[in-house]
Amino acid sequence: MKITRITAIPLSYKLPEGQTVKVGVGATIKRDTIVVRVETDEGLTGYGEAHPGRSPGAVTALVNHTLNPLLAGMDPCNVVGVWARVNRMQLSSHGLGAGAALALSGIDLALWDIRGKAANMPLYRLLGGSRKRLPAYAGGISLGFQPPETLVEEARGYLRDGYRAIKLRLGDNVRDDVARVQAVRAALGPDVDILTDANTAWTLADARRVIPALAEARVGWLEEPFSALDFGSYRLAAGLAPQVPIAAGENHYTRWDFARLLEDKAVTIWQPDLSKTGGITEALRIAAMASAFGIALHPHCSATGINHAATLHFLAALDNGGYFEACVSKFNPLRDMFGRTFTIGADGCVEPPEAPGIGLDIDEKVFAEFPAIDGPGYVVKF
């Protein structure tokens, strides 16, 4: 079997007027994704999802005009060989760096989809896992900056749905960040796992003022307080309140970025995104490295059911898997355009799909409903 063509298809959804969600990286104005289709000479087709990286047109062009001819003719089941070729020609030498990691991630997911279909096995079984129950938290673009009373109301809705863990957004300002966390903890009680995410918006001075309040509220983790490249601030913040674990990884790419996190010993919760870090092939390497040091993986999830389903399969095959980030965004039709990928149970858990490969029936007719809108999906000023 050989790869005959790789195609990236950018998709967008513009949020209704006045329905933005404000978080640390800005206010959402649209949702973007890139579906990657890999075709073979034996009729098997796989689908993956590449993160748009705030520039969907650039990532799409890289897949269609550079990686497509680079990988044509290779065995689609040779995921290690495909990864090595892209690494050699893009990641490690004169390539587009993080952009290449995003593009490769979508291709790699599609290749694993083909492998599962060829073996007539759901991906979690191909990876050596089982269809086990996976704890989930209410995440995605939700629970953003808003008055404490409406934030509490939104959080309670997710608990009624079955979630036992939620993620709050920080990075607004010190006073309001603290007030929101305190209000939600007081309203929901001690048994709900409250996770927090500053979306890289803090300074070290912000961290010094807010982290003690997070410790008092017994939050499960503090995610991405700083830029992914600001390793020094991560090291310093880790000592401010040891009972508040620092989480990161959504904006770290490939095993080499995670090796730096391991060496620094500051980030103890890892969150690779399968559509960003290099796909399942690379995420398995990252997971193995983490497992050797007792570090759990709580993957970040991207926009569509492709990433969500792949993440469920991935978690079901790990010995150090943690939470599944369930997208509960109110304005993300991209999530369900191939059908509902996961259902939260009364136990707060979800399960991976059972169909072969990633487990989704992709109908490309729906793509026409979401024409691409280039440019970033957030406005910084709000």
Side-chain angles (χ1 to χ4, degrees), residues 39-71:
E39 300 169 73
T40 70
D41 61 351
E42 294 187 11
L44 281 179
T45 299
Y47 291 91
E49 177 182 347
H51 192 280
R54 302 196 196 188
S55 186
V59 178
T60 296
L62 178 62
V63 172
N64 291 340
H65 303 307
T66 299
L67 301 186
N68 172 42
L70 179 68
L71 301 176

PDB file of all heavy atoms in Angstrom, residues 39-71:
ATOM      1  N   GLU A  39      -4.907   9.630   1.073  1.00  0.00           N
ATOM      2  CA  GLU A  39      -5.454   8.599   0.188  1.00  0.00           C
ATOM      3  C   GLU A  39      -4.369   7.587  -0.165  1.00  0.00           C
ATOM      4  O   GLU A  39      -3.170   7.929  -0.198  1.00  0.00           O
ATOM      5  CB  GLU A  39      -6.007   9.241  -1.083  1.00  0.00           C
ATOM      6  CG  GLU A  39      -7.129  10.247  -0.815  1.00  0.00           C
ATOM      7  CD  GLU A  39      -7.484  11.067  -2.035  1.00  0.00           C
ATOM      8  OE1 GLU A  39      -8.111  10.497  -2.959  1.00  0.00           O
ATOM      9  OE2 GLU A  39      -7.124  12.270  -2.074  1.00  0.00           O
ATOM     10  N   THR A  40      -4.783   6.367  -0.439  1.00  0.00           N
ATOM     11  CA  THR A  40      -3.841   5.296  -0.768  1.00  0.00           C
ATOM     12  C   THR A  40      -4.242   4.608  -2.066  1.00  0.00           C
ATOM     13  O   THR A  40      -5.371   4.743  -2.542  1.00  0.00           O
ATOM     14  CB  THR A  40      -3.798   4.241   0.354  1.00  0.00           C
ATOM     15  OG1 THR A  40      -5.044   3.522   0.365  1.00  0.00           O
ATOM     16  CG2 THR A  40      -3.571   4.885   1.716  1.00  0.00           C
ATOM     17  N   ASP A  41      -3.286   3.838  -2.614  1.00  0.00           N
ATOM     18  CA  ASP A  41      -3.552   3.151  -3.871  1.00  0.00           C
ATOM     19  C   ASP A  41      -4.417   1.900  -3.691  1.00  0.00           C
ATOM     20  O   ASP A  41      -4.793   1.260  -4.664  1.00  0.00           O
ATOM     21  CB  ASP A  41      -2.241   2.775  -4.569  1.00  0.00           C
ATOM     22  CG  ASP A  41      -1.381   1.824  -3.746  1.00  0.00           C
ATOM     23  OD1 ASP A  41      -1.724   1.581  -2.563  1.00  0.00           O
ATOM     24  OD2 ASP A  41      -0.372   1.330  -4.278  1.00  0.00           O
ATOM     25  N   GLU A  42      -4.756   1.535  -2.457  1.00  0.00           N
ATOM     26  CA  GLU A  42      -5.623   0.390  -2.206  1.00  0.00           C
ATOM     27  C   GLU A  42      -7.022   0.801  -1.770  1.00  0.00           C
ATOM     28  O   GLU A  42      -7.806  -0.019  -1.300  1.00  0.00           O
ATOM     29  CB  GLU A  42      -4.989  -0.537  -1.170  1.00  0.00           C
ATOM     30  CG  GLU A  42      -3.710  -1.193  -1.676  1.00  0.00           C
ATOM     31  CD  GLU A  42      -3.162  -2.240  -0.722  1.00  0.00           C
ATOM     32  OE1 GLU A  42      -3.880  -2.615   0.248  1.00  0.00           O
ATOM     33  OE2 GLU A  42      -2.028  -2.701  -0.942  1.00  0.00           O
ATOM     34  N   GLY A  43      -7.320   2.098  -1.896  1.00  0.00           N
ATOM     35  CA  GLY A  43      -8.668   2.577  -1.626  1.00  0.00           C
ATOM     36  C   GLY A  43      -8.948   2.985  -0.195  1.00  0.00           C
ATOM     37  O   GLY A  43     -10.022   3.515   0.094  1.00  0.00           O
ATOM     38  N   LEU A  44      -8.014   2.739   0.714  1.00  0.00           N
ATOM     39  CA  LEU A  44      -8.206   3.170   2.095  1.00  0.00           C
ATOM     40  C   LEU A  44      -7.863   4.656   2.225  1.00  0.00           C
ATOM     41  O   LEU A  44      -6.850   5.121   1.682  1.00  0.00           O
ATOM     42  CB  LEU A  44      -7.324   2.375   3.052  1.00  0.00           C
ATOM     43  CG  LEU A  44      -7.800   0.974   3.444  1.00  0.00           C
ATOM     44  CD1 LEU A  44      -6.787   0.325   4.375  1.00  0.00           C
ATOM     45  CD2 LEU A  44      -9.169   1.026   4.109  1.00  0.00           C
ATOM     46  N   THR A  45      -8.726   5.377   2.928  1.00  0.00           N
ATOM     47  CA  THR A  45      -8.524   6.804   3.155  1.00  0.00           C
ATOM     48  C   THR A  45      -8.555   7.075   4.653  1.00  0.00           C
ATOM     49  O   THR A  45      -9.414   6.564   5.370  1.00  0.00           O
ATOM     50  CB  THR A  45      -9.625   7.629   2.463  1.00  0.00           C
ATOM     51  OG1 THR A  45      -9.572   7.395   1.049  1.00  0.00           O
ATOM     52  CG2 THR A  45      -9.437   9.121   2.721  1.00  0.00           C
ATOM     53  N   GLY A  46      -7.601   7.860   5.112  1.00  0.00           N
ATOM     54  CA  GLY A  46      -7.555   8.232   6.526  1.00  0.00           C
ATOM     55  C   GLY A  46      -7.741   9.720   6.697  1.00  0.00           C
ATOM     56  O   GLY A  46      -7.419  10.518   5.802  1.00  0.00           O
ATOM     57  N   TYR A  47      -8.250  10.099   7.872  1.00  0.00           N
ATOM     58  CA  TYR A  47      -8.480  11.513   8.166  1.00  0.00           C
ATOM     59  C   TYR A  47      -7.811  11.886   9.486  1.00  0.00           C
ATOM     60  O   TYR A  47      -7.888  11.139  10.476  1.00  0.00           O
ATOM     61  CB  TYR A  47      -9.979  11.808   8.259  1.00  0.00           C
ATOM     62  CG  TYR A  47     -10.708  11.717   6.940  1.00  0.00           C
ATOM     63  CD1 TYR A  47     -11.280  10.513   6.527  1.00  0.00           C
ATOM     64  CD2 TYR A  47     -10.808  12.827   6.108  1.00  0.00           C
ATOM     65  CE1 TYR A  47     -11.947  10.425   5.315  1.00  0.00           C
ATOM     66  CE2 TYR A  47     -11.474  12.739   4.888  1.00  0.00           C
ATOM     67  CZ  TYR A  47     -12.040  11.535   4.498  1.00  0.00           C
ATOM     68  OH  TYR A  47     -12.694  11.451   3.293  1.00  0.00           O
ATOM     69  N   GLY A  48      -7.168  13.050   9.473  1.00  0.00           N
ATOM     70  CA  GLY A  48      -6.568  13.599  10.677  1.00  0.00           C
ATOM     71  C   GLY A  48      -6.949  15.047  10.836  1.00  0.00           C
ATOM     72  O   GLY A  48      -7.634  15.629   9.983  1.00  0.00           O
ATOM     73  N   GLU A  49      -6.503  15.638  11.916  1.00  0.00           N
ATOM     74  CA  GLU A  49      -6.778  17.050  12.186  1.00  0.00           C
ATOM     75  C   GLU A  49      -5.487  17.751  12.564  1.00  0.00           C
ATOM     76  O   GLU A  49      -4.780  17.302  13.468  1.00  0.00           O
ATOM     77  CB  GLU A  49      -7.801  17.196  13.315  1.00  0.00           C
ATOM     78  CG  GLU A  49      -8.080  18.648  13.699  1.00  0.00           C
ATOM     79  CD  GLU A  49      -9.063  18.793  14.849  1.00  0.00           C
ATOM     80  OE1 GLU A  49      -9.733  17.796  15.205  1.00  0.00           O
ATOM     81  OE2 GLU A  49      -9.158  19.904  15.411  1.00  0.00           O
ATOM     82  N   ALA A  50      -5.189  18.835  11.866  1.00  0.00           N
ATOM     83  CA  ALA A  50      -4.039  19.680  12.185  1.00  0.00           C
ATOM     84  C   ALA A  50      -4.537  20.969  12.813  1.00  0.00           C
ATOM     85  O   ALA A  50      -5.501  21.573  12.332  1.00  0.00           O
ATOM     86  CB  ALA A  50      -3.228  19.988  10.927  1.00  0.00           C
ATOM     87  N   HIS A  51      -3.894  21.396  13.864  1.00  0.00           N
ATOM     88  CA  HIS A  51      -4.238  22.672  14.470  1.00  0.00           C
ATOM     89  C   HIS A  51      -3.863  23.802  13.517  1.00  0.00           C
ATOM     90  O   HIS A  51      -2.816  23.743  12.865  1.00  0.00           O
ATOM     91  CB  HIS A  51      -3.495  22.827  15.805  1.00  0.00           C
ATOM     92  CG  HIS A  51      -3.983  23.948  16.644  1.00  0.00           C
ATOM     93  ND1 HIS A  51      -3.608  25.258  16.421  1.00  0.00           N
ATOM     94  CD2 HIS A  51      -4.814  23.976  17.716  1.00  0.00           C
ATOM     95  CE1 HIS A  51      -4.188  26.034  17.317  1.00  0.00           C
ATOM     96  NE2 HIS A  51      -4.924  25.279  18.116  1.00  0.00           N
ATOM     97  N   PRO A  52      -4.686  24.845  13.403  1.00  0.00           N
ATOM     98  CA  PRO A  52      -4.400  25.901  12.426  1.00  0.00           C
ATOM     99  C   PRO A  52      -3.299  26.861  12.825  1.00  0.00           C
ATOM    100  O   PRO A  52      -2.801  27.614  11.976  1.00  0.00           O
ATOM    101  CB  PRO A  52      -5.742  26.645  12.316  1.00  0.00           C
ATOM    102  CG  PRO A  52      -6.389  26.435  13.640  1.00  0.00           C
ATOM    103  CD  PRO A  52      -5.993  25.039  14.056  1.00  0.00           C
ATOM    104  N   GLY A  53      -2.918  26.879  14.113  1.00  0.00           N
ATOM    105  CA  GLY A  53      -1.822  27.739  14.533  1.00  0.00           C
ATOM    106  C   GLY A  53      -2.040  29.220  14.273  1.00  0.00           C
ATOM    107  O   GLY A  53      -1.081  29.946  14.000  1.00  0.00           O
ATOM    108  N   ARG A  54      -3.286  29.676  14.325  1.00  0.00           N
ATOM    109  CA  ARG A  54      -3.652  31.064  14.054  1.00  0.00           C
ATOM    110  C   ARG A  54      -3.327  31.496  12.625  1.00  0.00           C
ATOM    111  O   ARG A  54      -3.356  32.688  12.301  1.00  0.00           O
ATOM    112  CB  ARG A  54      -2.982  32.026  15.043  1.00  0.00           C
ATOM    113  CG  ARG A  54      -3.304  31.755  16.492  1.00  0.00           C
ATOM    114  CD  ARG A  54      -2.962  32.930  17.367  1.00  0.00           C
ATOM    115  NE  ARG A  54      -2.924  32.554  18.771  1.00  0.00           N
ATOM    116  CZ  ARG A  54      -2.791  33.413  19.766  1.00  0.00           C
ATOM    117  NH1 ARG A  54      -2.676  34.694  19.506  1.00  0.00           N
ATOM    118  NH2 ARG A  54      -2.755  32.990  21.010  1.00  0.00           N
ATOM    119  N   SER A  55      -2.989  30.551  11.781  1.00  0.00           N
ATOM    120  CA  SER A  55      -2.701  30.857  10.377  1.00  0.00           C
ATOM    121  C   SER A  55      -3.052  29.647   9.521  1.00  0.00           C
ATOM    122  O   SER A  55      -2.172  28.979   8.966  1.00  0.00           O
ATOM    123  CB  SER A  55      -1.222  31.229  10.200  1.00  0.00           C
ATOM    124  OG  SER A  55      -0.976  31.658   8.878  1.00  0.00           O
ATOM    125  N   PRO A  56      -4.354  29.322   9.415  1.00  0.00           N
ATOM    126  CA  PRO A  56      -4.751  28.088   8.724  1.00  0.00           C
ATOM    127  C   PRO A  56      -4.286  28.021   7.277  1.00  0.00           C
ATOM    128  O   PRO A  56      -3.975  26.940   6.772  1.00  0.00           O
ATOM    129  CB  PRO A  56      -6.279  28.092   8.829  1.00  0.00           C
ATOM    130  CG  PRO A  56      -6.656  29.504   9.175  1.00  0.00           C
ATOM    131  CD  PRO A  56      -5.515  30.062   9.952  1.00  0.00           C
ATOM    132  N   GLY A  57      -4.199  29.180   6.610  1.00  0.00           N
ATOM    133  CA  GLY A  57      -3.764  29.172   5.220  1.00  0.00           C
ATOM    134  C   GLY A  57      -2.331  28.708   5.067  1.00  0.00           C
ATOM    135  O   GLY A  57      -1.993  27.969   4.129  1.00  0.00           O
ATOM    136  N   ALA A  58      -1.476  29.112   5.993  1.00  0.00           N
ATOM    137  CA  ALA A  58      -0.065  28.737   5.917  1.00  0.00           C
ATOM    138  C   ALA A  58       0.122  27.245   6.161  1.00  0.00           C
ATOM    139  O   ALA A  58       0.883  26.580   5.443  1.00  0.00           O
ATOM    140  CB  ALA A  58       0.737  29.542   6.941  1.00  0.00           C
ATOM    141  N   VAL A  59      -0.557  26.701   7.177  1.00  0.00           N
ATOM    142  CA  VAL A  59      -0.420  25.272   7.466  1.00  0.00           C
ATOM    143  C   VAL A  59      -0.989  24.444   6.326  1.00  0.00           C
ATOM    144  O   VAL A  59      -0.423  23.418   5.929  1.00  0.00           O
ATOM    145  CB  VAL A  59      -1.105  24.926   8.808  1.00  0.00           C
ATOM    146  CG1 VAL A  59      -1.006  23.436   9.098  1.00  0.00           C
ATOM    147  CG2 VAL A  59      -0.479  25.731   9.947  1.00  0.00           C
ATOM    148  N   THR A  60      -2.113  24.888   5.775  1.00  0.00           N
ATOM    149  CA  THR A  60      -2.720  24.181   4.639  1.00  0.00           C
ATOM    150  C   THR A  60      -1.770  24.145   3.449  1.00  0.00           C
ATOM    151  O   THR A  60      -1.585  23.105   2.801  1.00  0.00           O
ATOM    152  CB  THR A  60      -4.036  24.866   4.244  1.00  0.00           C
ATOM    153  OG1 THR A  60      -4.969  24.765   5.333  1.00  0.00           O
ATOM    154  CG2 THR A  60      -4.642  24.233   3.004  1.00  0.00           C
ATOM    155  N   ALA A  61      -1.147  25.276   3.143  1.00  0.00           N
ATOM    156  CA  ALA A  61      -0.222  25.331   2.012  1.00  0.00           C
ATOM    157  C   ALA A  61       0.977  24.420   2.237  1.00  0.00           C
ATOM    158  O   ALA A  61       1.465  23.772   1.298  1.00  0.00           O
ATOM    159  CB  ALA A  61       0.238  26.772   1.791  1.00  0.00           C
ATOM    160  N   LEU A  62       1.465  24.350   3.456  1.00  0.00           N
ATOM    161  CA  LEU A  62       2.601  23.477   3.749  1.00  0.00           C
ATOM    162  C   LEU A  62       2.255  22.016   3.479  1.00  0.00           C
ATOM    163  O   LEU A  62       3.053  21.275   2.883  1.00  0.00           O
ATOM    164  CB  LEU A  62       3.031  23.661   5.207  1.00  0.00           C
ATOM    165  CG  LEU A  62       4.184  22.786   5.691  1.00  0.00           C
ATOM    166  CD1 LEU A  62       5.454  23.080   4.897  1.00  0.00           C
ATOM    167  CD2 LEU A  62       4.429  22.999   7.182  1.00  0.00           C
ATOM    168  N   VAL A  63       1.065  21.597   3.906  1.00  0.00           N
ATOM    169  CA  VAL A  63       0.649  20.212   3.657  1.00  0.00           C
ATOM    170  C   VAL A  63       0.506  19.954   2.170  1.00  0.00           C
ATOM    171  O   VAL A  63       1.065  18.980   1.619  1.00  0.00           O
ATOM    172  CB  VAL A  63      -0.684  19.906   4.376  1.00  0.00           C
ATOM    173  CG1 VAL A  63      -1.208  18.533   3.950  1.00  0.00           C
ATOM    174  CG2 VAL A  63      -0.502  19.961   5.887  1.00  0.00           C
ATOM    175  N   ASN A  64      -0.229  20.814   1.474  1.00  0.00           N
ATOM    176  CA  ASN A  64      -0.592  20.542   0.082  1.00  0.00           C
ATOM    177  C   ASN A  64       0.568  20.694  -0.892  1.00  0.00           C
ATOM    178  O   ASN A  64       0.639  19.964  -1.892  1.00  0.00           O
ATOM    179  CB  ASN A  64      -1.739  21.460  -0.336  1.00  0.00           C
ATOM    180  CG  ASN A  64      -3.038  21.114   0.361  1.00  0.00           C
ATOM    181  OD1 ASN A  64      -3.209  20.005   0.871  1.00  0.00           O
ATOM    182  ND2 ASN A  64      -3.968  22.060   0.409  1.00  0.00           N
ATOM    183  N   HIS A  65       1.464  21.613  -0.620  1.00  0.00           N
ATOM    184  CA  HIS A  65       2.493  21.926  -1.612  1.00  0.00           C
ATOM    185  C   HIS A  65       3.891  21.427  -1.250  1.00  0.00           C
ATOM    186  O   HIS A  65       4.751  21.333  -2.130  1.00  0.00           O
ATOM    187  CB  HIS A  65       2.538  23.438  -1.850  1.00  0.00           C
ATOM    188  CG  HIS A  65       1.231  24.020  -2.285  1.00  0.00           C
ATOM    189  ND1 HIS A  65       0.519  23.521  -3.365  1.00  0.00           N
ATOM    190  CD2 HIS A  65       0.476  25.022  -1.767  1.00  0.00           C
ATOM    191  CE1 HIS A  65      -0.601  24.207  -3.512  1.00  0.00           C
ATOM    192  NE2 HIS A  65      -0.662  25.109  -2.553  1.00  0.00           N
ATOM    193  N   THR A  66       4.117  21.086   0.014  1.00  0.00           N
ATOM    194  CA  THR A  66       5.442  20.616   0.422  1.00  0.00           C
ATOM    195  C   THR A  66       5.417  19.180   0.933  1.00  0.00           C
ATOM    196  O   THR A  66       6.179  18.328   0.473  1.00  0.00           O
ATOM    197  CB  THR A  66       6.035  21.547   1.493  1.00  0.00           C
ATOM    198  OG1 THR A  66       6.163  22.867   0.950  1.00  0.00           O
ATOM    199  CG2 THR A  66       7.402  21.054   1.948  1.00  0.00           C
ATOM    200  N   LEU A  67       4.543  18.895   1.895  1.00  0.00           N
ATOM    201  CA  LEU A  67       4.546  17.561   2.497  1.00  0.00           C
ATOM    202  C   LEU A  67       3.874  16.524   1.605  1.00  0.00           C
ATOM    203  O   LEU A  67       4.260  15.348   1.631  1.00  0.00           O
ATOM    204  CB  LEU A  67       3.884  17.610   3.877  1.00  0.00           C
ATOM    205  CG  LEU A  67       4.547  18.556   4.875  1.00  0.00           C
ATOM    206  CD1 LEU A  67       3.911  18.410   6.253  1.00  0.00           C
ATOM    207  CD2 LEU A  67       6.047  18.321   4.955  1.00  0.00           C
ATOM    208  N   ASN A  68       2.887  16.923   0.829  1.00  0.00           N
ATOM    209  CA  ASN A  68       2.234  15.977  -0.091  1.00  0.00           C
ATOM    210  C   ASN A  68       3.243  15.352  -1.059  1.00  0.00           C
ATOM    211  O   ASN A  68       3.375  14.121  -1.120  1.00  0.00           O
ATOM    212  CB  ASN A  68       1.099  16.676  -0.836  1.00  0.00           C
ATOM    213  CG  ASN A  68       0.500  15.826  -1.939  1.00  0.00           C
ATOM    214  OD1 ASN A  68       0.286  14.637  -1.768  1.00  0.00           O
ATOM    215  ND2 ASN A  68       0.247  16.443  -3.087  1.00  0.00           N
ATOM    216  N   PRO A  69       4.014  16.140  -1.813  1.00  0.00           N
ATOM    217  CA  PRO A  69       5.007  15.504  -2.693  1.00  0.00           C
ATOM    218  C   PRO A  69       6.145  14.828  -1.933  1.00  0.00           C
ATOM    219  O   PRO A  69       6.722  13.848  -2.425  1.00  0.00           O
ATOM    220  CB  PRO A  69       5.521  16.672  -3.553  1.00  0.00           C
ATOM    221  CG  PRO A  69       5.194  17.900  -2.780  1.00  0.00           C
ATOM    222  CD  PRO A  69       3.952  17.602  -2.024  1.00  0.00           C
ATOM    223  N   LEU A  70       6.480  15.327  -0.749  1.00  0.00           N
ATOM    224  CA  LEU A  70       7.565  14.737   0.028  1.00  0.00           C
ATOM    225  C   LEU A  70       7.242  13.308   0.448  1.00  0.00           C
ATOM    226  O   LEU A  70       8.134  12.444   0.497  1.00  0.00           O
ATOM    227  CB  LEU A  70       7.822  15.594   1.276  1.00  0.00           C
ATOM    228  CG  LEU A  70       8.913  15.114   2.236  1.00  0.00           C
ATOM    229  CD1 LEU A  70      10.288  15.235   1.585  1.00  0.00           C
ATOM    230  CD2 LEU A  70       8.865  15.901   3.534  1.00  0.00           C
ATOM    231  N   LEU A  71       5.952  13.024   0.725  1.00  0.00           N
ATOM    232  CA  LEU A  71       5.564  11.728   1.291  1.00  0.00           C
ATOM    233  C   LEU A  71       4.881  10.807   0.287  1.00  0.00           C
ATOM    234  O   LEU A  71       4.621   9.642   0.617  1.00  0.00           O
ATOM    235  CB  LEU A  71       4.639  11.955   2.495  1.00  0.00           C
ATOM    236  CG  LEU A  71       5.247  12.803   3.629  1.00  0.00           C
ATOM    237  CD1 LEU A  71       4.214  13.050   4.714  1.00  0.00           C
ATOM    238  CD2 LEU A  71       6.486  12.131   4.210  1.00  0.00           C
TER     239      LEU A  71
END
